[in-house]
Amino acid sequence: MEFFIDTADLEQIKQASSWGILDGVTTNPTLVSKEGLRGAKAIEQRYVDICNSVTGAVSAEVLSTAFSDMVAEGEKLASLHEQIVVKVPMTADGIKAIAYFNSKGIRTNCTLVFSVGQALIAAKAGATYVSPFLGRLDDIATDGLNLISEIRLIYDNYRFRTKILAASIRSTMHIINCAKVGADVITGPLSAMQGLLKHPLTDSGLEKFLLDARKLTP
Ligand code: E4P
């Protein structure tokens, strides 16, 4: 399972990367806007800085919605750095753009996916990643994890190569549950990944070991 961090904050990316377990980064317009960046140049520079801070895929989202504009914008984003994956919304124009990018060898992440039908068509179009939004479904009392399981079943049935990138992860248990149902990738905040480290028996066990270790020195 791959771990992506869902942020445009360079410090958080560097911190997660320093653990040696980070496989990539996802961003979206909301996350980029939180960074206080203004203008295309500043945003593009941030994508390049992110790419230089990690070794894996970095999703950068197109802001346009019409096919030809998405193509121009996606090609520009992809030219910034070889690690860039063009993030495209799940719309008819988006699917057309994903098929186009696929034919040109440009990797894509189909975002804002909330149903198995949407995931099926994204895979048909040749998306590299599909991003079902687990947390946002849970927020409206719909089982987000079940969506991930159903996509896994369909992709396995037809051996689709599109990777399931479980997005909108809100908690450590979301990560564990996604691992159980076979998501290929999770993307979430650093706090959810930090939760994987914790166990009170580890803390109390270490405390005792350190206490006893002091007895070993003459
Ligand atoms: C996915 O790539 C999105 O950036 C993200 O996971 C959305 O998460 P949110 O629902 O917490 O905004």
Side-chain angles (χ1 to χ4, degrees):
M1 183 188 222
E2 291 177 86
F3 280 16
F4 289 3
I5 190 167
D6 198 27
T7 184
D9 180 327
L10 269 182
E11 284 316 307
Q12 285 198 24
I13 292 166
K14 285 177 186 166
Q15 195 182 338
S17 186
S18 71
W19 296 357
I21 51 103
L22 192 67
D23 300 298
V25 177
T26 50
T27 64
N28 65 38
T30 304
L31 294 170
V32 173
S33 74
K34 282 185 188 161
E35 294 301 299
L37 304 166
R38 291 292 173 268
K41 282 274 163 264
I43 295 166
E44 285 167 15
Q45 186 55 50
R46 175 59 60 98
Y47 290 141
V48 171
D49 291 342
I50 293 174
C51 289
N52 289 332
S53 305
V54 292
T55 51
V58 174
S59 286
E61 189 159 341
V62 296
L63 305 178
S64 41
T65 52
F67 169 71
S68 53
D69 297 336
M70 282 186 193
V71 164
E73 206 184 332
E75 284 178 336
K76 179 82 198 300
L77 288 169
S79 73
L80 292 176
H81 199 286
E82 60 187 9
Q83 285 166 241
I84 294 281
V85 171
V86 181
K87 202 172 183 189
V88 180
M90 164 45 72
T91 60
D93 279 44
I95 285 299
K96 203 171 150 186
I98 287 168
Y100 170 84
F101 290 131
N102 187 37
S103 74
K104 300 287 174 194
I106 294 174
R107 293 182 298 163
T108 53
N109 174 355
C110 183
T111 190
L112 291 167
V113 166
F114 294 95
S115 76
V116 279
Q118 291 178 326
L120 178 57
I121 201 156
K124 284 287 292 175
T128 315
Y129 299 95
V130 66
S131 287
F133 277 35
L134 176 60
R136 291 194 195 185
L137 281 170
D138 285 1
D139 288 346
I140 57 158
T142 304
D143 189 350
L145 192 66
N146 186 51
L147 172 61
I148 311 255
S149 304
E150 289 187 336
I151 299 171
R152 177 77 284 153
L153 174 71
I154 290 173
Y155 281 12
D156 288 350
N157 278 350
Y158 297 100
R159 296 192 174 86
F160 282 122
R161 290 168 60 195
T162 301
K163 286 187 173 179
I164 303 172
L165 197 174
S168 189
I169 293 279
R170 302 278 164 76
S171 67
T172 304
M173 275 316 292
H174 268 165
I175 299 178
I176 293 167
N177 288 331
C178 283
K180 285 184 186 170
V181 299
D184 299 294
V185 190
I186 60 91
T187 190
L190 184 59
S191 57
M193 287 180 242
Q194 282 168 329
L196 292 168
L197 291 168
K198 293 178 193 157
H199 199 287
L201 289 178
T202 305
D203 298 339
S204 58
L206 182 61
E207 200 180 325
K208 176 85 168 79
F209 283 158
L210 292 176
L211 209 60
D212 290 340
R214 280 193 218 141
K215 298 174 192 164
L216 302 174
T217 47

